[in-house]
Amino acid sequence: MNPQFNARIKKAVVDKKLRRAVQVATDRLRIKKADAMTKIDMEEWRERGREIREHVVSHLDYYLAQLADNVRQRGGQVHFCMNANDAVQAIKNIVQTHHATKVIKSKSMVTEELQLNHALEQDGVDVVETDLGEYIIQLAGESPSHIIAPAIHKRREQIAELFSQVANQRIASDTPSLNDYAHQVLREKFIGADIGITGCNFAIAETGTICLFTNEGNGRMVTTLPDVHIAVMGMERVLPSLADLEVFMNVLPRSATGQQLTSYVSLVTGAREPEELDGSREFHLVILDNKRSHSLGDPDFQEVLHCIRCGACLNVCPVYRQIGGHAYGSVYSGPIGAVLTPLLRDDPEAADLPYASSLCGACYEACPVKIPLHDMLVKLRARNVERGHTAPAERFAFQLYKKTFTRAKNYRVAIRSLRTVQKWFMTNGEFHSSLPVLSAWTKTRSLQGMSSQTFRERFQKGLVIDQISTQISETAKRRGVDGSDS
Amino acid sequence: MDQTVESEFLQNVAQRLGRNEPLRATPKRISLGAQGLTHSHLPESLSESYTEETDVAFNAAVFCLSLENVGGQAKVIARNEIPAILSDIVTRHQIHSVMQWKDALLEHLEIPSLLHDRGLDVYTWGEESVVSKTRIEKAQLGITSANYAIAETGSLVVIGNHDQGRSVSLLPSVHVAFVPLTRLYLRAQSVLQELQQQRMPASVNFITGPSRTSDIEMDSTIGVHGPKYVYVFLTDET
Amino acid sequence: MQVSLFITCLVDTMFPQVAESLVHLLQRQGIKVNVPMSQTCCGQPAFNSGYFEEAREVAKTWLDAFADSEYIVTPSGSCGAMVTHDYPILFKGDLKRLALISKLAQRTYDWTQFFVDVLQIEDLHAQANLVATYHPSCHATRLLGVTDAPYRLMSQVRGLQLVDLPLADQCCGFGGTFAVKMPEISTAMATEKVMHIAETSAELLLGQDMGCLMNIAGRMNRMNTKIPVLHLAEFLDRASSGIPILSGERRV
């Protein structure tokens, strides 16, 4: 500690009036509104967050090597895995070496990507998710529908039903009863587990530390009680130093849950020290590529690796709001899922996800590291066009669009012809609701026809003259309108 | 670990980034951590009351309010208040089993003897060479003295070692920490800096209020796995 | 000062009165309005659908039409943002055009920005004794940075009581081709928007982009929610020239 600071403290603490001073300060703070303390200039911090993520991702080779060295220095084992299969195999090997039968997990999206639970269960291993939301969906046999709140789609009555079945007795559906039941069941699982598996919010390269942000405390349980701890991370989740962690301690919880800080931030560096009496005795870090590297060096998509999985883009997305997470049919949902999934998974279903966006830009606005998700969605659509993945009718339509709109003359002719034919498809100035193609609009929304004259036709005929201006000033009138055709 | 897998992995990353082989030299940074950023609007917005002489009091006040905001309780106490405080907590939470760190400050404050005097079942971490999981599971109250406290967020920072079990601040449903004011900082930055200057401990936990979850219909509730109740007593004893 | 009007194809063909109102408002400030007749569409429908080659060709038409413009003013923030935000993506690597785009992007304004920031005029001498609510369009707000300009203009209208629209910043579900490519989601979004509008006590919905307003009004018709919808330019034109606002011919 800074000696001057220490001296000041010493001076202050001998002051008999200290406690009175605290009271005075407290009262002042209360008046000044304590919530001022929780506020930061988010713009400034977002920009710094972006800068740090950009730096790490563009030097990922250096930082991954540094991370691995430091983890090993602290007695940990590092497993680099090119794909999901390799990662599952690496984890299975650890489980088998320890003859482990009971595995507990804290929330990890990357293990969802591996479908790890299923793989371990096939080997007869009892795998229990311990995050309350994850536990609920595990009982329901479902997958998470939100990065941060995996059981957001479940109603309390459904949860009570699930718990009651497992408990073989009626569990009430109020939050405290459900909570108490989960606490009791999972506590037994924590105590008896052989291996704990966690994800990794960030890995600090300079110290070989993995950081877990949790609220429930299960992350701490999973890393404290079983003898073996396996942390699984997407290869991009690195930060250079502890100093950088401070930035993300400020932006991650605020973006994810609106908290100033989560209840727990756990920094785990290797296995327990030899003199320690609790904590895991063995530490493994699984580093997964799984096609993440395909986005490296790609100017259009590298930024997707800046993501810190806060879920803020899901929370603000009007599409996610209407359809929920499962509709995306992928591990990652919402705007980040619509971008990330087609980059990690090259199949037609994934290729369609970027269309599930109105491109409103709310995701970009909310992103704590400023990933231009709305632009990336468009670029992924362009990739589909380039690869010939779009429908022939659509391609034809845009060919026609190009022909029509590249010359004003073609445009005028097209408008005139459409205006002539539109009345055949209309009643009371509105298009029929059953027309092919147009019905995608008209089934649920009325659509009026084109105006009898376009603006430019009226303008050229001199019909667009403001009466008021004319009255006010003759000069204004002379200067006012100047149509130019080219 | 298979060395070839690792080098192929890193080689691929390097190549994708346009390098022939993985970068070995430390890359230059344009900014480091939160350097130069404006933190929360304190103490600037209260500059008239924030002076060097009173900053400990100020930090303590910020700590207490921050912890209260997240559902914990904190207070600056005098030594003679401790028996009543402990007695109150033990009664309120119907405590009969306690687990505590083996800690100089706790001993100095005579916490262990106060607990024994009340006839409680007390387990002191580090006194036995093996920890029995069932034994520590029983404790309803965990008593620690945090390594650091952070005013801005109302956080405790606990480091695991032989005498400071990770479980003590985790398993019991009530967590009580006695923290010397000398270990109180305004911001996490100072704590992270101190950690950087030493060999990184195997376990560092920032604890901010009680355990909580919003996983049931986004209804925020406390105490699903970790302690439901967090009490912090700041003291000028060291 | 000469202003080139960036009409947008939607306004030109379906809502000419909006462009007409905008011309009136500009003329009243003694501004010379020029309408480049070679303009067609900015290319956004093709761009947003990923047809970059087609979008580029159409965008070139736009660039040619406005190459020499001093100020480019549009009644659609979305089309404005196509120029300022999307053209640089579309013409990546085409240094000559990027230079032109950068020049023109600086000259392109949503019309409310142009009044408030360039002309520094907020009071259009308008009067309207009614209660209205306002839908801020996503592209104008998020991509073009139009935040308080529309509100400043509205705040000067005598008699106008502006009520807050719940979740105002949420997209109405238009999204151009999104509306027909993902009609179910788009409709669900529009439905929610209409419900929020109906929750207010507003007699009128104002907005700044005809795409969004056409979507909202179209959905309102099918939901039997009868709240009139007007583009802010048309509203201010009417309110400042004594034309009845809620009666008479309206086209949305």
Side-chain angles (χ1 to χ4, degrees):
Chain A
M1 195 188 302
N2 162 349
Q4 282 169 328
F5 184 46
N6 213 351
R8 288 204 308 277
I9 291 170
K10 289 224 165 71
K11 188 178 164 207
V13 292
V14 295
D15 184 353
K16 297 290 177 210
K17 291 177 186 147
L18 172 70
R19 277 181 292 281
R20 175 72 198 129
V22 173
Q23 282 165 19
V24 172
T26 309
D27 291 345
R28 269 170 179 266
L29 281 169
R30 281 194 203 279
I31 295 161
K32 293 261 184 182
K33 278 263 184 212
D35 62 341
M37 284 186 288
T38 64
K39 287 184 184 133
I40 54 173
D41 179 354
M42 199 60 185
E43 261 326 291
E44 206 186 31
W45 288 75
R46 278 175 85 206
E47 178 53 28
R48 183 62 56 85
R50 190 199 64 75
E51 246 171 58
I52 295 172
R53 293 299 297 147
E54 182 180 46
H55 175 81
V56 171
V57 170
S58 52
H59 301 93
L60 199 56
D61 45 352
Y62 174 83
Y63 287 113
L64 277 175
Q66 190 190 18
L67 172 69
D69 285 348
N70 285 321
V71 169
R72 282 190 289 252
Q73 281 252 307
R74 297 297 297 263
Q77 296 177 45
V78 183
H79 309 263
F80 281 95
C81 302
M82 282 306 285
N83 54 47
N85 232 356
D86 293 355
V88 169
Q89 203 47 55
I91 295 165
K92 276 186 170 183
N93 289 346
I94 302 166
V95 170
Q96 279 157 12
T97 308
H98 291 273
H99 306 290
T101 54
K102 291 173 185 164
V103 167
I104 49 170
K105 284 181 69 200
S106 77
K107 221 186 94 51
S108 149
M109 291 306 288
V110 73
T111 60
E112 295 287 338
E113 202 179 315
L114 303 177
Q115 298 187 292
L116 181 63
N117 296 6
H118 180 69
L120 292 176
E121 279 160 2
Q122 278 190 325
D123 284 2
V125 178
D126 179 31
V127 185
V128 180
E129 293 286 354
T130 62
D131 171 88
L132 181 54
E134 291 276 353
Y135 179 62
I136 292 166
I137 58 163
Q138 189 185 23
L139 289 182
E142 294 175 7
S143 59
S145 65
H146 190 288
I147 296 177
I148 299 300
I152 197 171
H153 60 288
K154 281 265 177 276
R155 298 194 47 76
R156 62 174 67 252
E157 291 75 20
Q158 295 173 294
I159 299 167
E161 189 58 38
L162 284 168
F163 284 8
S164 302
Q165 276 170 20
V166 182
N168 237 334
Q169 66 177 76
R170 191 78 222 136
I171 308 288
S173 65
D174 59 294
T175 307
S177 303
L178 295 170
N179 200 15
D180 285 350
Y181 174 73
H183 168 83
Q184 190 194 320
V185 173
L186 291 171
R187 186 54 74 95
E188 284 166 27
K189 302 283 184 189
F190 286 131
I191 299 290
D194 304 314
I195 292 184
I197 299 181
T198 68
C200 168
N201 289 98
F202 302 104
I204 311 293
E206 84 175 346
T207 55
T209 302
I210 68 143
C211 313
L212 299 170
F213 287 66
T214 66
N215 274 317
E216 297 180 2
N218 59 320
R220 291 185 65 195
M221 296 280 185
V222 172
T223 57
T224 300
L225 296 172
D227 275 344
V228 180
H229 171 201
I230 306 171
V232 189
M233 63 180 274
M235 65 171 198
E236 77 285 9
R237 317 300 303 269
V238 191
L239 293 179
S241 73
L242 282 174
D244 299 302
L245 179 63
E246 192 199 354
V247 176
F248 296 94
M249 283 174 79
N250 274 282
V251 299
L252 176 62
R254 280 184 171 88
S255 304
T257 53
Q259 289 170 287
Q260 193 187 0
L261 191 60
T262 46
S263 300
Y264 305 105
V265 177
S266 306
L267 311 185
V268 181
T269 309
R272 69 162 81 159
E273 304 280 4
E275 72 277 10
E276 275 191 278
L277 301 174
D278 63 354
S280 69
R281 293 169 195 273
E282 199 176 301
F283 175 75
H284 296 266
L285 180 60
V286 175
I287 302 175
L288 178 70
D289 181 331
N290 212 21
K291 290 203 180 153
R292 284 167 172 76
S293 61
H294 289 203
S295 298
L296 279 177
D298 182 335
D300 288 337
F301 301 116
Q302 181 168 312
E303 279 169 286
V304 79
L305 300 176
H306 295 182
C307 176
I308 59 171
R309 304 287 189 272
C310 68
C313 60
L314 279 66
N315 298 339
V316 298
C317 177
V319 171
Y320 179 89
R321 181 183 168 90
Q322 299 299 338
I323 65 175
H326 286 150
Y328 290 81
S330 69
V331 172
Y332 305 101
S333 59
I336 184 64
V339 171
L340 188 58
T341 309
L343 294 170
L344 296 184
R345 230 179 70 190
D346 214 349
D347 62 62
E349 209 186 317
D352 276 347
L353 288 178
Y355 298 103
S357 167
S358 64
L359 305 177
C360 75
C363 46
Y364 168 68
E365 194 177 58
C367 178
V369 292
K370 297 167 83 170
I371 303 172
L373 290 165
H374 58 314
D375 292 339
M376 292 169 127
L377 288 162
V378 174
K379 288 172 181 171
L380 283 165
R381 294 175 188 185
R383 199 175 76 162
N384 288 342
V385 174
E386 259 171 50
R387 294 178 172 184
H389 287 171
T390 54
E394 187 182 285
R395 287 205 296 277
F396 176 74
F398 280 107
Q399 276 298 314
L400 205 63
Y401 165 84
K402 184 177 87 177
K403 283 209 169 63
T404 312
F405 286 88
T406 37
R407 289 188 62 191
K409 192 178 159 223
N410 296 354
Y411 168 77
R412 284 198 298 270
V413 170
I415 299 302
R416 274 201 291 272
S417 357
L418 284 173
R419 219 156 46 194
T420 319
V421 297
Q422 70 175 6
K423 51 181 171 288
W424 302 337
F425 305 101
M426 294 172 70
T427 315
N428 299 330
E430 205 184 281
F431 280 102
H432 302 155
S433 58
S434 56
L435 295 167
V437 187
L438 259 194
S439 70
W441 180 285
T442 53
K443 227 169 112 184
T444 55
R445 289 161 287 207
S446 68
L447 181 65
Q448 63 183 38
M450 279 185 281
S451 177
S452 56
Q453 276 185 317
T454 62
F455 167 78
R456 69 185 71 205
E457 285 163 347
R458 286 181 58 78
F459 189 84
Q460 278 180 311
K461 287 176 190 163
L463 298 175
V464 188
I465 292 171
D466 180 43
Q467 296 309 313
I468 294 179
S469 331
T470 317
Q471 286 159 18
I472 294 169
S473 156
E474 287 296 315
T475 353
K477 183 186 158 194
R478 275 199 304 278
R479 281 204 321 233
V481 184
D482 169 27
S484 62
D485 206 340
S486 44
Chain B
M1 176 72 212
D2 189 343
Q3 267 315 119
T4 39
V5 175
E6 177 168 344
S7 49
E8 275 169 23
F9 188 108
L10 293 174
Q11 182 66 26
N12 174 47
V13 169
Q15 274 173 355
R16 297 263 180 190
L17 288 167
R19 285 187 268 276
N20 293 329
E21 56 179 38
L23 191 65
R24 308 244 179 258
T26 312
K28 282 211 171 57
R29 304 283 307 266
I30 40 168
S31 54
L32 188 70
Q35 238 169 42
L37 296 183
T38 322
H39 281 75
S40 58
H41 301 301
L42 287 182
E44 287 80 3
S45 67
L46 287 141
S47 47
E48 78 273 21
S49 69
Y50 190 81
T51 64
E52 294 208 335
E53 281 66 38
T54 59
D55 59 4
V56 172
F58 177 80
N59 291 347
V62 172
F63 181 88
C64 295
L65 284 177
S66 304
L67 186 55
E68 245 173 63
N69 277 347
V70 293
Q73 287 185 41
K75 207 176 149 191
V76 179
I77 53 157
R79 193 174 170 160
N80 58 13
E81 293 175 75
I82 294 175
I85 284 168
L86 271 184
S87 170
D88 181 51
I89 289 172
V90 165
T91 315
R92 190 180 324 158
H93 298 289
Q94 300 174 339
I95 306 290
H96 41 83
S97 181
V98 185
M99 166 156 73
Q100 62 175 354
W101 279 2
K102 193 169 149 195
D103 180 86
L105 177 78
L106 296 182
E107 272 158 34
H108 171 69
L109 297 176
E110 294 170 347
I111 308 279
S113 58
L114 283 168
L115 296 171
H116 281 292
D117 291 351
R118 282 196 63 107
L120 297 166
D121 172 18
V122 181
Y123 178 84
T124 304
W125 197 273
E127 281 191 344
E128 289 163 27
S129 57
V130 178
V131 174
S132 127
K133 281 185 183 174
T134 42
R135 181 86 203 272
I136 61 176
E137 231 276 286
K138 225 172 52 177
Q140 302 152 288
L141 168 63
I143 303 181
T144 68
S145 165
N147 296 77
Y148 308 100
I150 300 166
E152 192 182 66
T153 49
S155 309
L156 297 169
V157 183
V158 294
I159 293 175
N161 64 34
H162 180 267
D163 295 335
Q164 305 186 355
R166 306 180 190 189
S167 304
V168 181
S169 60
L170 177 62
L171 296 181
S173 65
V174 184
H175 177 201
V176 170
F178 291 91
V179 185
L181 281 160
T182 47
R183 298 184 198 162
L184 175 63
Y185 292 89
L186 185 62
R187 298 194 167 109
Q189 192 168 44
S190 320
V191 174
L192 292 169
Q193 271 166 10
E194 289 221 3
L195 289 173
Q196 277 186 300
Q197 284 155 17
Q198 51 183 284
R199 180 177 187 271
M200 188 67 183
S203 164
V204 179
N205 269 286
F206 290 71
I207 301 173
T208 308
S211 153
R212 59 176 62 245
T213 183
S214 298
D215 275 349
I216 297 165
E217 291 188 349
M218 302 308 277
D219 180 16
S220 180
T221 181
I222 57 160
V224 57
H225 295 308
K228 268 189 182 180
Y229 306 95
V230 176
Y231 299 92
V232 178
F233 300 108
L234 299 169
T235 166
D236 48 18
E237 304 278 340
T238 46
Chain C
M1 174 183 288
Q2 176 157 319
V3 162
S4 297
L5 187 67
F6 173 10
I7 319 170
T8 82
C9 53
L10 187 69
V11 165
D12 189 37
T13 57
M14 295 192 59
F15 310 103
Q17 79 282 3
V18 172
E20 217 163 295
S21 287
L22 180 50
V23 171
H24 294 164
L25 293 174
L26 289 164
Q27 286 175 339
R28 263 170 238 167
Q29 305 303 329
I31 287 166
K32 198 166 173 176
V33 180
N34 159 58
V35 180
M37 287 295 168
S38 60
Q39 63 177 304
T40 58
C41 169
C42 60
Q44 192 175 188
F47 177 79
N48 283 357
S49 303
Y51 288 82
F52 281 14
E53 197 256 85
E54 289 80 356
R56 248 187 309 270
E57 292 310 308
V58 174
K60 284 177 192 166
T61 314
W62 188 95
L63 288 169
D64 289 343
F66 289 92
D68 300 318
S69 298
E70 190 185 352
Y71 289 99
I72 302 162
V73 174
T74 174
S76 161
S78 185
C79 304
M82 177 70 194
V83 174
T84 61
H85 183 87
D86 297 333
Y87 277 10
I89 297 173
L90 199 52
F91 289 97
K92 197 176 81 177
D94 182 343
L95 295 182
K96 211 177 118 203
R97 281 207 177 77
L98 282 177
L100 176 64
I101 289 162
S102 151
K103 182 182 90 175
L104 296 185
Q106 283 167 23
R107 300 176 179 187
T108 302
Y109 296 90
D110 169 75
W111 76 278
T112 59
Q113 278 177 321
F114 182 73
F115 270 76
V116 173
D117 298 341
V118 180
L119 300 179
Q120 305 201 329
I121 291 168
E122 295 177 12
D123 188 353
L124 300 179
H125 304 289
Q127 166 135 19
N129 294 313
L130 45 79
V131 182
T133 193
Y134 176 75
H135 169 66
S137 288
C138 305
H139 285 177
T141 316
R142 299 202 180 102
L143 300 184
L144 208 53
V146 179
T147 49
D148 58 344
Y151 294 96
R152 282 169 181 261
L153 295 175
M154 287 186 286
S155 71
Q156 296 294 331
V157 179
R158 281 92 178 142
L160 177 67
Q161 192 197 334
L162 194 67
V163 291
D164 285 340
L165 176 62
L167 300 182
D169 61 358
Q170 194 158 288
C171 174
C172 70
F174 177 61
T177 49
F178 170 77
V180 287
K181 193 140 182 144
M182 296 276 166
E184 294 83 8
I185 306 174
S186 169
T187 301
M189 288 159 72
T191 303
E192 197 187 341
K193 181 60 74 181
V194 170
M195 280 159 55
H196 288 313
I197 294 164
E199 273 170 43
T200 69
S201 53
E203 305 160 76
L204 172 68
L205 172 71
L206 294 171
Q208 66 193 114
D209 210 304
M210 285 319 294
C212 316
L213 293 181
M214 175 172 87
N215 184 47
I216 296 169
R219 186 70 197 126
M220 271 189 188
N221 283 338
R222 291 293 158 81
M223 289 170 73
N224 280 320
T225 302
K226 306 273 182 216
I227 298 170
V229 173
L230 273 184
H231 189 280
L232 190 55
E234 190 180 357
F235 167 74
L236 287 170
D237 178 28
R238 286 175 179 229
S240 59
S241 57
I243 301 169
I245 289 157
L246 295 184
S247 57
E249 196 206 352
R250 274 183 292 105
R251 278 185 56 91
V252 176

Short mmCIF file of all heavy atoms in Angstrom, two decimals, chain A residues 281-304:
data_model
loop_
_atom_site.label_atom_id
_atom_site.label_comp_id
_atom_site.label_asym_id
_atom_site.label_seq_id
_atom_site.Cartn_x
_atom_site.Cartn_y
_atom_site.Cartn_z
N ARG A 281 -7.81 -29.69 -6.52
CA ARG A 281 -6.41 -30.14 -6.46
C ARG A 281 -5.80 -30.19 -7.85
O ARG A 281 -4.61 -30.35 -8.01
CB ARG A 281 -6.33 -31.53 -5.86
CG ARG A 281 -6.72 -31.59 -4.41
CD ARG A 281 -6.86 -33.05 -3.97
NE ARG A 281 -7.57 -33.13 -2.70
CZ ARG A 281 -6.96 -33.03 -1.52
NH1 ARG A 281 -5.67 -32.85 -1.44
NH2 ARG A 281 -7.66 -33.10 -0.40
N GLU A 282 -6.66 -30.15 -8.85
CA GLU A 282 -6.17 -30.28 -10.22
C GLU A 282 -6.95 -29.31 -11.09
O GLU A 282 -8.17 -29.20 -10.97
CB GLU A 282 -6.42 -31.72 -10.68
CG GLU A 282 -5.59 -32.14 -11.86
CD GLU A 282 -5.83 -33.63 -12.18
OE1 GLU A 282 -5.59 -34.49 -11.32
OE2 GLU A 282 -6.29 -33.89 -13.30
N PHE A 283 -6.23 -28.60 -11.95
CA PHE A 283 -6.90 -27.60 -12.79
C PHE A 283 -6.60 -27.83 -14.27
O PHE A 283 -5.44 -28.01 -14.66
CB PHE A 283 -6.45 -26.19 -12.38
CG PHE A 283 -7.00 -25.11 -13.28
CD1 PHE A 283 -8.34 -24.72 -13.19
CD2 PHE A 283 -6.20 -24.49 -14.23
CE1 PHE A 283 -8.85 -23.74 -14.02
CE2 PHE A 283 -6.71 -23.51 -15.07
CZ PHE A 283 -8.04 -23.13 -14.96
N HIS A 284 -7.64 -27.85 -15.07
CA HIS A 284 -7.50 -28.01 -16.52
C HIS A 284 -8.16 -26.84 -17.23
O HIS A 284 -9.26 -26.43 -16.84
CB HIS A 284 -8.21 -29.29 -16.99
CG HIS A 284 -7.60 -30.54 -16.45
ND1 HIS A 284 -6.65 -31.26 -17.13
CD2 HIS A 284 -7.83 -31.20 -15.29
CE1 HIS A 284 -6.31 -32.32 -16.41
NE2 HIS A 284 -7.01 -32.31 -15.28
N LEU A 285 -7.49 -26.34 -18.25
CA LEU A 285 -8.10 -25.30 -19.08
C LEU A 285 -8.24 -25.83 -20.50
O LEU A 285 -7.26 -26.20 -21.14
CB LEU A 285 -7.23 -24.03 -19.07
CG LEU A 285 -7.75 -22.86 -19.90
CD1 LEU A 285 -9.12 -22.40 -19.40
CD2 LEU A 285 -6.77 -21.69 -19.86
N VAL A 286 -9.50 -25.89 -20.95
CA VAL A 286 -9.76 -26.34 -22.32
C VAL A 286 -10.00 -25.11 -23.19
O VAL A 286 -10.89 -24.31 -22.91
CB VAL A 286 -11.00 -27.27 -22.36
CG1 VAL A 286 -11.35 -27.65 -23.80
CG2 VAL A 286 -10.76 -28.51 -21.51
N ILE A 287 -9.18 -24.93 -24.21
CA ILE A 287 -9.28 -23.76 -25.09
C ILE A 287 -9.79 -24.22 -26.45
O ILE A 287 -9.15 -25.02 -27.13
CB ILE A 287 -7.91 -23.06 -25.23
CG1 ILE A 287 -7.39 -22.64 -23.85
CG2 ILE A 287 -8.03 -21.86 -26.17
CD1 ILE A 287 -5.99 -22.03 -23.86
N LEU A 288 -10.95 -23.71 -26.82
CA LEU A 288 -11.66 -24.22 -27.99
C LEU A 288 -11.64 -23.24 -29.17
O LEU A 288 -11.94 -22.07 -29.02
CB LEU A 288 -13.12 -24.50 -27.61
CG LEU A 288 -14.03 -25.01 -28.72
CD1 LEU A 288 -13.68 -26.43 -29.12
CD2 LEU A 288 -15.49 -24.93 -28.30
N ASP A 289 -11.30 -23.77 -30.32
CA ASP A 289 -11.40 -22.96 -31.55
C ASP A 289 -12.79 -23.17 -32.18
O ASP A 289 -13.61 -22.27 -32.17
CB ASP A 289 -10.27 -23.39 -32.53
CG ASP A 289 -10.29 -22.58 -33.83
OD1 ASP A 289 -11.38 -22.14 -34.24
OD2 ASP A 289 -9.22 -22.39 -34.44
N ASN A 290 -13.06 -24.37 -32.66
CA ASN A 290 -14.37 -24.69 -33.23
C ASN A 290 -14.83 -23.67 -34.27
O ASN A 290 -15.93 -23.14 -34.19
CB ASN A 290 -15.41 -24.83 -32.11
CG ASN A 290 -16.48 -25.85 -32.45
OD1 ASN A 290 -16.27 -26.71 -33.31
ND2 ASN A 290 -17.63 -25.77 -31.79
N LYS A 291 -13.97 -23.36 -35.21
CA LYS A 291 -14.22 -22.44 -36.33
C LYS A 291 -14.20 -20.97 -35.95
O LYS A 291 -14.49 -20.10 -36.77
CB LYS A 291 -15.55 -22.76 -37.03
CG LYS A 291 -15.50 -24.07 -37.80
CD LYS A 291 -16.56 -24.08 -38.89
CE LYS A 291 -16.49 -25.39 -39.65
NZ LYS A 291 -17.75 -25.76 -40.23
N ARG A 292 -13.87 -20.66 -34.70
CA ARG A 292 -13.71 -19.25 -34.36
C ARG A 292 -12.60 -18.63 -35.20
O ARG A 292 -12.71 -17.49 -35.65
CB ARG A 292 -13.37 -19.09 -32.88
CG ARG A 292 -14.57 -19.29 -31.97
CD ARG A 292 -14.14 -19.44 -30.52
NE ARG A 292 -15.29 -19.43 -29.62
CZ ARG A 292 -16.12 -20.45 -29.46
NH1 ARG A 292 -15.94 -21.57 -30.14
NH2 ARG A 292 -17.15 -20.37 -28.64
N SER A 293 -11.54 -19.41 -35.42
CA SER A 293 -10.39 -18.84 -36.15
C SER A 293 -10.75 -18.47 -37.59
O SER A 293 -10.07 -17.66 -38.20
CB SER A 293 -9.21 -19.82 -36.13
OG SER A 293 -9.57 -21.03 -36.75
N HIS A 294 -11.85 -19.05 -38.11
CA HIS A 294 -12.24 -18.68 -39.48
C HIS A 294 -12.57 -17.20 -39.60
O HIS A 294 -12.47 -16.62 -40.68
CB HIS A 294 -13.45 -19.51 -39.93
CG HIS A 294 -13.10 -20.94 -40.18
ND1 HIS A 294 -13.83 -21.76 -41.00
CD2 HIS A 294 -12.10 -21.70 -39.70
CE1 HIS A 294 -13.29 -22.97 -41.02
NE2 HIS A 294 -12.24 -22.95 -40.24
N SER A 295 -12.98 -16.59 -38.50
CA SER A 295 -13.30 -15.15 -38.55
C SER A 295 -12.08 -14.27 -38.31
O SER A 295 -12.13 -13.07 -38.54
CB SER A 295 -14.38 -14.82 -37.52
OG SER A 295 -15.55 -15.53 -37.82
N LEU A 296 -11.01 -14.87 -37.84
CA LEU A 296 -9.79 -14.09 -37.62
C LEU A 296 -9.23 -13.65 -38.97
O LEU A 296 -9.20 -14.43 -39.92
CB LEU A 296 -8.72 -14.93 -36.93
CG LEU A 296 -8.80 -15.10 -35.42
CD1 LEU A 296 -7.69 -16.02 -34.95
CD2 LEU A 296 -8.71 -13.76 -34.71
N GLY A 297 -8.79 -12.41 -39.03
CA GLY A 297 -8.20 -11.92 -40.27
C GLY A 297 -9.24 -11.58 -41.33
O GLY A 297 -8.89 -11.16 -42.42
N ASP A 298 -10.52 -11.80 -41.03
CA ASP A 298 -11.57 -11.44 -41.97
C ASP A 298 -12.10 -10.06 -41.56
O ASP A 298 -12.74 -9.93 -40.52
CB ASP A 298 -12.69 -12.49 -41.90
CG ASP A 298 -13.81 -12.22 -42.90
OD1 ASP A 298 -13.98 -11.05 -43.29
OD2 ASP A 298 -14.50 -13.18 -43.28
N PRO A 299 -11.82 -9.03 -42.37
CA PRO A 299 -12.17 -7.68 -41.95
C PRO A 299 -13.67 -7.51 -41.69
O PRO A 299 -14.07 -6.67 -40.90
CB PRO A 299 -11.71 -6.80 -43.12
CG PRO A 299 -11.53 -7.73 -44.27
CD PRO A 299 -11.17 -9.07 -43.69
N ASP A 300 -14.48 -8.33 -42.34
CA ASP A 300 -15.92 -8.19 -42.15
C ASP A 300 -16.40 -8.81 -40.84
O ASP A 300 -17.40 -8.37 -40.28
CB ASP A 300 -16.67 -8.85 -43.31
CG ASP A 300 -16.55 -8.03 -44.60
OD1 ASP A 300 -16.27 -6.82 -44.48
OD2 ASP A 300 -16.70 -8.62 -45.68
N PHE A 301 -15.72 -9.86 -40.39
CA PHE A 301 -16.29 -10.61 -39.27
C PHE A 301 -15.40 -10.80 -38.05
O PHE A 301 -15.82 -11.37 -37.05
CB PHE A 301 -16.79 -11.97 -39.76
CG PHE A 301 -17.82 -11.85 -40.85
CD1 PHE A 301 -17.58 -12.31 -42.13
CD2 PHE A 301 -19.04 -11.25 -40.58
CE1 PHE A 301 -18.54 -12.18 -43.14
CE2 PHE A 301 -20.01 -11.10 -41.57
CZ PHE A 301 -19.75 -11.57 -42.85
N GLN A 302 -14.16 -10.34 -38.10
CA GLN A 302 -13.26 -10.58 -36.96
C GLN A 302 -13.84 -10.03 -35.65
O GLN A 302 -13.66 -10.61 -34.59
CB GLN A 302 -11.88 -9.96 -37.22
CG GLN A 302 -10.90 -10.21 -36.07
CD GLN A 302 -9.46 -9.86 -36.43
OE1 GLN A 302 -8.96 -10.26 -37.47
NE2 GLN A 302 -8.81 -9.11 -35.58
N GLU A 303 -14.54 -8.91 -35.76
CA GLU A 303 -15.07 -8.27 -34.56
C GLU A 303 -16.07 -9.14 -33.78
O GLU A 303 -16.34 -8.86 -32.62
CB GLU A 303 -15.74 -6.95 -34.92
CG GLU A 303 -14.76 -5.81 -35.08
CD GLU A 303 -15.42 -4.59 -35.71
OE1 GLU A 303 -15.69 -4.62 -36.91
OE2 GLU A 303 -15.68 -3.64 -34.97
N VAL A 304 -16.61 -10.16 -34.42
CA VAL A 304 -17.55 -11.01 -33.68
C VAL A 304 -16.83 -11.67 -32.50
O VAL A 304 -17.43 -12.00 -31.49
CB VAL A 304 -18.19 -12.07 -34.63
CG1 VAL A 304 -17.26 -13.25 -34.88
CG2 VAL A 304 -19.51 -12.56 -34.03
#
